Amino acid sequence: MIELFKLFGFILLALIALVFIRAIKGPTAIDRLICVNIIGTKSIVLLVFMGIIFKRLDMFVDIAIGYGLLNFIASIAAAKFYQHNKTLRPESGDDS
Amino acid sequence: MNIIIIVLISLGLFFFFGTAVGMLRLPDFYTRSHAAGKGDTLSTALILLGCALFIMHEGHYSGASILVFLKLMSIIVFVFIGSPTASHAFIDAGYETGEKQWSNKKQAKKKP
Amino acid sequence: MKELLIANYNYVVVVLIMMIGLWGMLALKNIIKKCIAMAIFQTGIILFYISNIFI
Amino acid sequence: MIWQFDVILLTLVLVCAVISLSIRDLMASAIVFGAYSFLMCLVWTGMGAVDVAFTEAAVGAGVSTVFFVATIYRTTRQSNYKRKDLFIRSFSAVVVSVVALALFAVIADFPYWGDPFSPVNDYVGSYYITHTMAHSNVPNVVTSVLADYRGFDTMFETCVVFVACIGIYAILRRRKKQAKAEDTAVKHVAHDSLIIRVASQIMVPFMQLFALYVVAHGHHSPGGGFQGGVVLGASVILLALAFNVKTTLKYLSEKSMIAYSAIGVLIFAGTGLLCMFLGGNFLDYSVLSQILPYTDEVMARSHAMLIVEIGVALTVMSAMYGIYLSLATDGHFDQGL
């Protein structure tokens, strides 16, 4: 059964890499914001998988809760930035 | 019991696969965040439910595993409250900065 | 040489992260970019400490 | 650590670092830096360093992204790139590659991946691991080393956090008369969406409860004064984000912020002095057993560690809050992010 969780962990990592491509390619900053939010929530799941594989989940669960809360705050702060500052794309436009 | 756990986690992974493909293929900012917001929370909830059941089953329903079960449930509740709100904030920010909706340009050229 | 690279892949990554941080601090003119580079440099060092004592 | 996980995660971390520095839009690089520190915490949890991972998650992903966003909000959005920069970039690239080659040469004789007899594990570490339970029956060795064996350094780290908060506050704070009406390129549209406000109303009490839980159970599992303080500060910052800064100032005013950070350091140094009054040397907690009711030497140390953790949490919480306020409102303490 533990071997199965390793497999699940691999699949999850592959999917995170997929989302990561969108984070690299994303034209505007807000697309990257969504990708970072997804990677944040998925890192909670990966953390729980690691806890199960190491059979010490009672320690890892506390950090997973911490991750969930802090990811929420970072996303809200970044999103609220655009309320006031209206420029979405910086003047020169292209991202190096 | 193992079957339920495997089914739950593979369902969660499947939905997350849908989200990932949605993020890559969908053309516009709004459609992408639409896919991200929903798929993300659902897949997290399913996978964490599967892990919680596995812990309960593994720990033979002892006191410690119930505590871990409740903590995993609290994570699910937080993600259920937090992630849609964050998606709302993103779309609101996108709308504020005048992000254009995606119009199917190919049809537009063919029709006139 | 190749098996050495695989055996302690961790140290290779530590050196690369520290170099990225160092390059960022030197080359980039924007202060915020320099702060980000400094933070990357710091996490590289912490990664070095931890990858030494992992059993 | 599962070897394969580690490799994949580390390559992702490397890619994240490169992107974060190469993006021209400051906002995007701050966001990608948040993702970088999240992935970095996964690597550390994989390697078993659980306290460090929690701290990095709390500080790196949570709070520093908020601080970067607050600074970008007040300054320009755009890091422009001129011709002559190319010389500096290529020159520093040469310097960095020379240093990299030197380091790569050294890699060969680092202790191999995870061998127990490497010099690091043999001498100092093993002493503390074996003796912690005997000295102060605190299972979490990290907390006992942090608060008890090197209590002196932790006290000065708390002072450093306090000084950082006061420094930023002193630099940015503008009195009423100096605050001339500068042209705000940013339109102050007070548009606080209801959904974020309601969601954070639900989330904040649980976050503060969780933060106190993290501070309290630092003895048994990961967490402790610093991580709990950061999560506590982050919950107050969430309040300041959801509502405008004025309502949060009513909740935790500017003066009380400074007072709390001072009280935190006072608690830490106070317990040290208390031990001196009772005859022990500066931070020798075992002497406290005389005043703490029916505790022997060992229990006194673990209780004293808890008191010290509370002091650290107080300082860190008010420092995070103070830094956020100074940055987001650019010193006026009125209209924040």
Side-chain angles (χ1 to χ4, degrees), chain C residues 53, chain D residues 118-132 141 145 149:
Chain C
I53 48 174
Chain D
S118 69
V120 177
N121 305 343
D122 275 355
Y123 309 112
V124 181
S126 48
Y127 168 78
Y128 283 115
I129 293 172
T130 46
H131 289 273
T132 310
V141 180
V145 166
Y149 294 119

Short mmCIF file of all heavy atoms in Angstrom, two decimals, chain C residues 53, chain D residues 118-132 141 145 149:
data_model
loop_
_atom_site.label_atom_id
_atom_site.label_comp_id
_atom_site.label_asym_id
_atom_site.label_seq_id
_atom_site.Cartn_x
_atom_site.Cartn_y
_atom_site.Cartn_z
N ILE C 53 23.47 16.59 6.84
CA ILE C 53 23.25 15.74 8.01
C ILE C 53 22.10 14.77 7.78
O ILE C 53 21.62 14.15 8.68
CB ILE C 53 22.89 16.61 9.24
CG1 ILE C 53 21.81 17.63 8.84
CG2 ILE C 53 24.09 17.30 9.77
CD1 ILE C 53 21.29 18.44 10.00
N SER D 118 29.30 10.74 8.79
CA SER D 118 29.96 11.98 8.33
C SER D 118 30.29 12.83 9.56
O SER D 118 29.63 12.71 10.58
CB SER D 118 28.98 12.74 7.44
OG SER D 118 27.94 13.22 8.26
N PRO D 119 31.31 13.69 9.44
CA PRO D 119 31.75 14.43 10.64
C PRO D 119 30.62 15.17 11.32
O PRO D 119 30.63 15.36 12.52
CB PRO D 119 32.79 15.39 10.08
CG PRO D 119 32.60 15.41 8.62
CD PRO D 119 32.06 14.07 8.26
N VAL D 120 29.59 15.53 10.54
CA VAL D 120 28.56 16.37 11.16
C VAL D 120 27.81 15.58 12.22
O VAL D 120 27.50 16.09 13.27
CB VAL D 120 27.58 16.84 10.06
CG1 VAL D 120 26.47 17.64 10.66
CG2 VAL D 120 28.34 17.64 9.03
N ASN D 121 27.59 14.28 11.94
CA ASN D 121 26.72 13.57 12.88
C ASN D 121 27.49 13.07 14.09
O ASN D 121 26.89 12.62 15.05
CB ASN D 121 26.10 12.36 12.18
CG ASN D 121 25.40 12.81 10.92
OD1 ASN D 121 25.13 13.99 10.78
ND2 ASN D 121 25.17 11.89 10.00
N ASP D 122 28.82 13.07 14.06
CA ASP D 122 29.52 12.29 15.08
C ASP D 122 29.66 13.03 16.40
O ASP D 122 29.37 12.48 17.45
CB ASP D 122 30.92 11.94 14.57
CG ASP D 122 30.81 10.69 13.71
OD1 ASP D 122 29.68 10.17 13.69
OD2 ASP D 122 31.77 10.28 13.10
N TYR D 123 30.06 14.28 16.37
CA TYR D 123 30.50 14.84 17.65
C TYR D 123 29.38 15.55 18.38
O TYR D 123 28.72 15.01 19.26
CB TYR D 123 31.67 15.83 17.39
CG TYR D 123 32.73 15.19 16.56
CD1 TYR D 123 32.97 15.62 15.27
CD2 TYR D 123 33.46 14.11 17.03
CE1 TYR D 123 33.92 15.02 14.49
CE2 TYR D 123 34.41 13.49 16.25
CZ TYR D 123 34.63 13.95 14.98
OH TYR D 123 35.57 13.34 14.20
N VAL D 124 29.04 16.76 17.95
CA VAL D 124 28.19 17.59 18.83
C VAL D 124 26.76 17.07 18.78
O VAL D 124 26.11 16.87 19.80
CB VAL D 124 28.25 19.05 18.33
CG1 VAL D 124 27.40 19.91 19.23
CG2 VAL D 124 29.68 19.51 18.32
N GLY D 125 26.30 16.75 17.59
CA GLY D 125 24.89 16.44 17.45
C GLY D 125 24.47 15.29 18.33
O GLY D 125 23.46 15.35 19.02
N SER D 126 25.28 14.25 18.36
CA SER D 126 24.82 13.06 19.09
C SER D 126 24.69 13.37 20.57
O SER D 126 23.78 12.86 21.22
CB SER D 126 25.84 11.94 18.89
OG SER D 126 27.12 12.49 19.13
N TYR D 127 25.54 14.22 21.12
CA TYR D 127 25.43 14.52 22.56
C TYR D 127 24.04 15.08 22.86
O TYR D 127 23.30 14.63 23.71
CB TYR D 127 26.50 15.52 22.98
CG TYR D 127 26.26 16.09 24.37
CD1 TYR D 127 26.57 15.34 25.50
CD2 TYR D 127 25.67 17.34 24.54
CE1 TYR D 127 26.31 15.84 26.76
CE2 TYR D 127 25.42 17.85 25.80
CZ TYR D 127 25.74 17.10 26.91
OH TYR D 127 25.48 17.59 28.15
N TYR D 128 23.64 16.07 22.07
CA TYR D 128 22.36 16.73 22.38
C TYR D 128 21.20 15.77 22.18
O TYR D 128 20.25 15.75 22.96
CB TYR D 128 22.19 17.96 21.49
CG TYR D 128 23.03 19.10 21.98
CD1 TYR D 128 24.07 19.60 21.21
CD2 TYR D 128 22.81 19.64 23.24
CE1 TYR D 128 24.85 20.64 21.68
CE2 TYR D 128 23.58 20.68 23.70
CZ TYR D 128 24.60 21.17 22.93
OH TYR D 128 25.37 22.18 23.39
N ILE D 129 21.30 14.94 21.13
CA ILE D 129 20.16 14.05 20.86
C ILE D 129 19.97 13.11 22.03
O ILE D 129 18.86 12.88 22.51
CB ILE D 129 20.39 13.29 19.54
CG1 ILE D 129 20.35 14.28 18.37
CG2 ILE D 129 19.37 12.19 19.34
CD1 ILE D 129 20.76 13.70 17.05
N THR D 130 21.08 12.59 22.57
CA THR D 130 20.92 11.59 23.64
C THR D 130 20.49 12.27 24.94
O THR D 130 19.73 11.70 25.71
CB THR D 130 22.27 10.90 23.87
OG1 THR D 130 23.27 11.92 23.92
CG2 THR D 130 22.58 9.94 22.73
N HIS D 131 20.94 13.52 25.17
CA HIS D 131 20.76 14.06 26.53
C HIS D 131 19.52 14.93 26.67
O HIS D 131 19.18 15.33 27.76
CB HIS D 131 21.99 14.88 26.92
CG HIS D 131 23.19 14.01 27.17
ND1 HIS D 131 23.46 13.45 28.39
CD2 HIS D 131 24.14 13.55 26.33
CE1 HIS D 131 24.55 12.71 28.30
NE2 HIS D 131 24.99 12.75 27.05
N THR D 132 18.85 15.23 25.54
CA THR D 132 17.76 16.21 25.69
C THR D 132 16.68 15.69 26.61
O THR D 132 16.22 16.37 27.51
CB THR D 132 17.15 16.49 24.30
OG1 THR D 132 18.21 16.78 23.42
CG2 THR D 132 16.18 17.63 24.37
N VAL D 141 13.88 17.88 19.85
CA VAL D 141 15.26 18.33 20.15
C VAL D 141 15.46 19.75 19.64
O VAL D 141 16.12 20.58 20.27
CB VAL D 141 16.27 17.37 19.46
CG1 VAL D 141 17.68 17.81 19.76
CG2 VAL D 141 16.03 15.96 19.95
N VAL D 145 17.08 22.65 21.89
CA VAL D 145 18.36 23.29 21.56
C VAL D 145 18.13 24.79 21.38
O VAL D 145 18.85 25.63 21.94
CB VAL D 145 18.95 22.67 20.27
CG1 VAL D 145 20.08 23.53 19.73
CG2 VAL D 145 19.43 21.27 20.55
N TYR D 149 19.54 25.18 25.18
CA TYR D 149 21.01 25.10 25.12
C TYR D 149 21.60 26.37 24.54
O TYR D 149 22.61 26.87 24.99
CB TYR D 149 21.42 23.88 24.30
CG TYR D 149 21.03 22.60 24.97
CD1 TYR D 149 20.16 21.71 24.36
CD2 TYR D 149 21.52 22.28 26.23
CE1 TYR D 149 19.80 20.54 25.00
CE2 TYR D 149 21.15 21.12 26.87
CZ TYR D 149 20.29 20.26 26.25
OH TYR D 149 19.91 19.11 26.87
#
